[in-house]
């Protein structure tokens, strides 16, 4: 055997070994997703876990996602946990950060945004990423998803709200963000706390009411402590959510698998999680009715007060955005996609 032949065979063997090593590495990207909602929450069961399973499917097992049974930190810490590598993947509410790093995300928090979580979530993904620079606001992570829940309601155990004066002095849990300012404008006292804290605070009388969806009343076992639930066309408010991955961890995944994961994320994930919210709300409405909670539409005086305050918040937000971002146009595009006519919300 000549030296050249030996060298050639050695080179081929080395290349083969490197190729096999590369395949082994590609198949060994294991990701941990920190989940803070209750393990049986409909979004965990019907959106987060199915998406995680789909990741493994579309990457042919080269990338796997393990949804943790317990979170690696508090709900408000979850974005920073992904950015800083504490967890590989996290989800959460933008408003939980209680700062202005996600200025554009308030697009998905206003009143009158839509009654269908699929339409709202898809619109939020599209408009936030295309018009309001969502990826830059989530710097340090790879942005996998943006979504919203169904229409937000105001629930309480004191009285039916027939005029704005009925809200005065009422202590209301809020998730932060826009709804905190709105409830204060309407005369209530907003108190920030994450969803898992509400049951104890409501049952002990620390709060009188809560800004929540239909499904949250059942998911967090609040039906025994709520008597009245007020609806607003398109929602009194909404919350904006993210699904993100640590950027360094994302870079460990091959370009082909990155593309495959992106294909099932983004708008596709918005539809998946939106359907999960819709189904959960429909199921919750039956339990709310069975619990004897009075579900009623906001009166004309209350609705007019909401519209007046909401318009002021929308204008202030639009004016606060960086140069080149048109918040007013973004909101108009959003509502066109979800079919909401604010002039008809009377």
């Amino acid at each position: 055997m000549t030296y050249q032949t030996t060298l050639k065979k050695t080179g081929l063997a080395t290349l083969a070994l490197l190729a096999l090593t590369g395949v082994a590495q590609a198949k060994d990207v294991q990701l941990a997703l920190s989940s803070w909602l209750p393990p049986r929450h409909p979004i965990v069961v019907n959106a987060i876990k199915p998406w995680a399973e789909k990741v493994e499917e579309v990457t042919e097992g080269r990338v796997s996602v393990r949804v943790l049974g317990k979170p690696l930190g508090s709900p408000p810490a979850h974005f920073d946990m992904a950015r800083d590598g504490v967890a590989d993947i996290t989800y959460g509410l933008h408003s939980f950060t209680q700062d202005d790093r996600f200025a554009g995300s308030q697009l998905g928090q206003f009143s009158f945004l839509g009654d269908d979580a699929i339409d709202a979530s898809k619109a939020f993904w599209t408009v936030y990423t295309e018009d309001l620079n969502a990826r830059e606001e989530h710097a340090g992570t790879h942005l996998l998803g943006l979504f919203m829940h169904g229409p937000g309601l105001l629930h309480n155990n004191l009285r039916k709200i027939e005029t704005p004066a009925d809200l005065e002095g009422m202590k209301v849990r809020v998730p932060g963000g826009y709804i905190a300012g709105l409830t204060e404008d309407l005369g209530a006292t907003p108190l920030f706390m994450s969803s898992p804290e509400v049951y104890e605070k409501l049952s002990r009388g620390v709060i009188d009411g809560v800004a929540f969806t239909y499904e949250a009343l059942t998911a967090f076992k609040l039906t025994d402590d709520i008597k009245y639930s007020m609806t607003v066309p398109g929602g009194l408010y909404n919350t904006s959510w993210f699904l993100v991955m640590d950027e360094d961890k994302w870079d460990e995944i091959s370009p082909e698998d990155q593309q495959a994961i992106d294909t099932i994320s983004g708008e596709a994930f918005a539809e998946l999680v939106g359907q999960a919210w819709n189904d959960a709300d429909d199921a919750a409405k039956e339990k709310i009715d069975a619990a004897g909670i009075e579900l009623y539409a906001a009166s004309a005086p209350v609705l007019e007060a909401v519209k007046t305050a909401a318009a002021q918040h929308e204008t202030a937000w639009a004016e606060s955005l960086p140069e080149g971002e048109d918040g007013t146009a973004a909101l108009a595009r959003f509502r066109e996609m979800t079919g909401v006519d604010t002039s008809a919300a009377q």
Side-chain angles (χ1 to χ4, degrees):
M1 182 181 297
T2 66
Y3 173 77
Q4 288 81 3
T5 301
T6 301
L7 183 63
K8 183 177 180 180
K9 287 186 175 182
T10 302
L12 290 172
T14 302
L15 288 173
L17 180 61
L18 288 172
L20 287 171
T21 303
V23 170
Q25 289 176 341
K27 288 185 177 179
D28 196 30
V29 180
Q30 299 176 347
L31 306 170
L33 190 158
S34 181
S35 178
W36 53 268
L37 285 170
R40 294 185 180 181
H41 190 283
I43 302 313
V44 177
V45 174
N46 298 319
I48 298 296
K49 287 185 175 180
W51 174 83
E53 293 168 1
K54 193 72 173 176
V55 167
E56 187 164 2
E57 179 184 330
V58 299
T59 62
E60 299 179 340
R62 291 180 293 273
V63 181
S64 61
V65 179
R66 181 166 60 99
V67 179
L68 302 180
K70 294 183 179 180
L72 296 177
S74 67
H78 269 59
F79 178 80
D80 290 341
M81 285 163 48
R83 184 197 61 192
D84 299 338
V86 175
D88 300 323
I89 306 174
T90 66
Y91 63 85
L93 279 72
H94 292 102
S95 60
F96 276 5
T97 59
Q98 293 187 287
D99 57 33
D100 61 357
R101 77 179 80 174
F102 302 115
S105 73
Q106 195 161 318
L107 168 78
Q109 298 175 29
F110 291 114
S111 307
F112 317 118
L113 291 181
D115 290 314
D116 181 277
I118 296 176
D119 291 343
S121 294
K122 291 171 73 172
F124 184 53
W125 168 263
T126 300
V127 180
Y128 191 10
T129 57
E130 294 182 3
D131 300 353
L132 298 177
N133 216 0
R135 289 185 173 84
E136 182 175 313
E137 292 193 349
H138 295 76
T141 70
H142 179 72
L143 184 59
L144 293 165
L146 295 165
F147 57 100
M148 295 163 50
H149 56 47
L153 293 76
L154 184 60
H155 315 273
N156 83 91
N157 55 19
L158 294 183
R159 54 187 168 268
K160 184 175 179 179
I161 300 165
E162 297 180 292
T163 71
D166 292 329
L167 280 162
E168 292 181 7
M170 189 177 290
K171 300 185 294 295
V172 179
R173 172 271 177 186
V174 297
Y178 160 76
I179 187 60
L182 180 68
T183 52
E184 190 168 26
D185 292 343
L186 297 175
T189 300
L191 296 174
F192 170 77
M193 63 190 69
S194 61
S195 306
E197 299 177 77
V198 175
Y199 175 81
E200 179 187 359
K201 297 294 194 298
L202 189 64
S203 60
R204 289 172 50 201
V206 176
I207 57 175
D208 307 308
V210 55
F212 253 165
T213 58
Y214 294 99
E215 65 78 29
L217 286 191
T218 56
F220 295 99
K221 306 183 187 307
L222 306 180
T223 51
D224 289 341
D225 295 296
I226 291 295
K227 297 179 181 178
Y228 309 96
S229 295
M230 184 182 76
T231 67
V232 165
L236 176 65
Y237 77 103
N238 212 294
T239 53
S240 63
W241 298 63
F242 58 80
L243 176 69
V244 294
M245 183 187 299
D246 172 37
E247 195 167 49
D248 292 336
K249 204 69 179 179
W250 176 254
D251 290 340
E252 293 180 17
I253 300 171
S254 71
E256 294 78 12
D257 287 339
Q258 286 179 347
Q259 182 177 3
I261 294 169
D262 275 341
T263 299
I264 62 166
S265 304
E267 186 174 354
F269 181 73
E271 182 165 357
L272 175 68
V273 72
Q275 185 65 63
W277 282 121
N278 284 347
D279 292 344
D281 276 348
D282 288 342
K285 288 174 186 177
E286 297 181 7
K287 294 181 180 179
I288 289 171
D289 182 64
I293 297 171
E294 183 175 352
L295 185 66
Y296 65 98
S299 66
V302 171
L303 201 55
E304 189 58 36
V306 172
K307 289 184 66 176
T308 300
Q312 295 173 349
H313 282 279
E314 289 178 14
T315 299
W317 168 73
E319 292 176 349
S320 73
L321 292 174
E323 186 176 352
E325 295 186 16
D326 189 337
T328 301
L331 262 173
R333 184 186 180 197
F334 185 106
R335 287 183 170 126
E336 183 178 2
M337 292 179 70
T338 59
V340 171
D341 180 3
T342 54
S343 66
Q346 300 291 342

